[in-house]
């Protein structure tokens, strides 16, 4: 019968670490007085209930290949997971894209890489801006829909300009 033994850890030769001080000639003075830390104020989440409600029965704008169900009855406003977001807080409503249940689930809980999800969301946001442009410029649309679309489009453009 074999006797059980634990795993044998390899013996590593440990050398002492020697820290050398930085010479005075290489040191840089930042300030002569004490450093004051100032907390950044939190951004305020911008909400627009009518804009969220507009997503009902719209076309999915995420359009994830192999995932999208194209089911207009399940479309909701899928908020970004990367923009203007904080702990226990959703992103502002203008950082949202109309997405069907399948695409929204893929975006929030899918196994895809974060970079893939960010690219898919960015393309969706571009398509969303085009749809909002159509709503704003179409006089046959309801006034509240045009106002909500203009509200979101203004903020998307401002954020896009700030990021560029």
């Amino acid at each position: 019968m074999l006797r059980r033994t634990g795993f044998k850890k390899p013996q590593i030769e440990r050398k002492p670490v020697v820290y050398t001080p930085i010479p005075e000639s290489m040191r840089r003075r930042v300030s002569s007085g004490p450093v004051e830390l100032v907390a950044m104020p939190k951004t305020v989440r911008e909400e627009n209930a009518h804009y969220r409600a507009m997503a009902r029965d719209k076309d999915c704008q995420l359009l994830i290949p192999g995932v999208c169900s194209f089911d207009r009855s399940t479309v909701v406003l899928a908020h970004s997971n990367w923009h203007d977001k904080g702990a226990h807080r959703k992103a502002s409503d203008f950082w949202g894209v109309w997405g069907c249940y399948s695409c929204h689930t893929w975006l929030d809980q899918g196994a895809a890489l974060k970079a893939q999800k960010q690219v898919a969301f960015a393309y969706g946001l571009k398509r969303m801006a085009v749809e909002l442009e159509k709503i704003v410029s179409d006089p046959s649309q309801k006034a509240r829909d045009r106002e909500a679309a203009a509200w979101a489009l203004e903020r998307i453009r401002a954020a896009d300009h700030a990021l560029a």
Side-chain angles (χ1 to χ4, degrees), residues 62 64 106-107 115-125 127:
L62 286 171
I64 310 300
W106 177 87
L107 189 67
Q116 289 174 306
K117 292 179 180 185
Q118 287 175 321
V119 168
F121 187 85
Y123 279 118
L125 197 59
R127 284 190 289 271

Side-chain angles (χ1 to χ4, degrees), residues 13-14 21 29 35 68 93-94 110 118 120 122 124-125 128 142 145-146 149:
E13 182 181 339
R14 299 191 187 267
R29 289 229 180 254
V35 177
C68 191
D93 286 343
F94 66 89
Q118 287 175 321
L125 197 59
M128 188 75 180
K142 295 177 189 171
D145 287 355
R146 287 198 318 268

Side-chain angles (χ1 to χ4, degrees), residues 10 27 56 71 79 159:
R27 291 184 191 175
R56 186 175 293 123
D71 185 1
H79 290 84

Side-chain angles (χ1 to χ4, degrees), residues 122-136:
Y123 279 118
L125 197 59
K126 294 288 183 193
R127 284 190 289 271
M128 188 75 180
V130 171
E131 289 298 312
L132 294 174
E133 285 275 356
K134 290 178 188 175
I135 293 170
V136 168

